[in-house]
Amino acid sequence: MLKKLERTKAQWSGYDDVIDYWLELRRQLLVEYYNVAGVAVKKKQNLPSKEEIDRFCDHLVDYISTGHFKIYNMVMERWQSTGFSATQETDNLYFRIVDTTDPLLDFNDKFSELDWDDEDYHFPDFDEDISSVGELLEQRFELEDTLIRVIADSLAYPPGA
């Protein structure tokens, strides 16, 4: 995912401040994801620390909420200010992105509700859960990149041109 992010940054960096900000949030989220997923692999079935999980979950929730409540709106407002309006393609991409939100937030909810003080409790689903989160993030990033590309490509051909 980091290699894909680097390719996306190479393509879109400097294109728009909003996109630059979005990609930086993505980079921060991926760093935290790899920290948490890497700890799980190294410890072989043990959870990362509460602080590591909390830090990842904070970045995850920030990324999702910033995307939904700030980035998507800002991108769409800028796009519409040039005379464009949402199409079936952009709507479908957005709804497919939204479909990844609840499962990602479920991870946050599950691990924020754990009894971290119970030393005898084990979390056997963590490896599976963090792997699913990685797959969802990869899917989400791909959809977001496609949405960026669709909007950017359309700006090359202004309405009425």
Side-chain angles (χ1 to χ4, degrees):
M1 283 188 280
L2 282 173
K3 286 182 182 181
K4 286 183 182 179
L5 173 61
E6 290 307 315
R7 284 193 300 268
T8 301
K9 285 177 77 173
Q11 182 176 7
W12 298 110
S13 185
Y15 181 81
D16 186 281
D17 291 342
V18 173
I19 292 173
D20 289 347
Y21 175 69
W22 193 11
L23 295 176
E24 176 56 23
L25 288 177
R26 185 186 296 181
R27 186 197 64 76
Q28 293 171 8
L29 174 60
L30 284 173
V31 166
E32 294 305 327
Y33 172 78
Y34 286 122
N35 286 339
V36 169
V39 167
V41 170
K42 290 177 191 172
K43 290 184 178 180
K44 295 183 183 176
Q45 298 290 340
N46 291 339
L47 276 178
S49 70
K50 177 177 179 6
E51 292 76 24
E52 291 166 323
I53 295 272
D54 285 347
R55 193 170 42 251
F56 168 69
C57 287
D58 287 347
H59 278 85
L60 180 63
V61 171
D62 286 349
Y63 184 84
I64 290 169
S65 61
T66 300
H68 284 295
F69 301 115
K70 186 174 184 180
I71 304 297
Y72 301 151
N73 288 339
M74 290 171 66
V75 168
M76 292 306 285
E77 284 174 15
R78 286 187 184 181
W79 192 47
Q80 290 170 348
S81 73
T82 61
F84 289 94
S85 60
T87 64
Q88 186 68 36
E89 183 179 18
T90 58
D91 285 346
N92 286 340
L93 285 166
Y94 177 76
F95 291 126
R96 290 177 59 203
I97 292 167
V98 169
D99 285 343
T100 68
T101 299
D102 283 341
L104 289 169
L105 293 178
D106 288 345
F107 176 89
N108 174 70
D109 295 344
K110 178 178 181 176
F111 285 92
S112 65
E113 295 171 0
L114 291 178
D115 182 3
W116 290 91
D117 295 325
D118 183 353
E119 294 178 15
D120 295 327
Y121 193 81
H122 299 283
F123 308 101
D125 297 336
F126 183 77
D127 288 342
E128 183 179 310
D129 290 342
I130 199 68
S131 177
S132 293
V133 165
E135 291 170 11
L136 287 165
L137 288 175
E138 189 166 9
Q139 177 186 0
R140 185 182 188 98
F141 298 157
E142 195 170 302
L143 292 165
E144 290 172 345
D145 291 350
T146 302
L147 183 61
I148 291 170
R149 190 171 37 261
V150 166
I151 291 172
D153 288 351
S154 70
L155 290 174
Y157 303 100

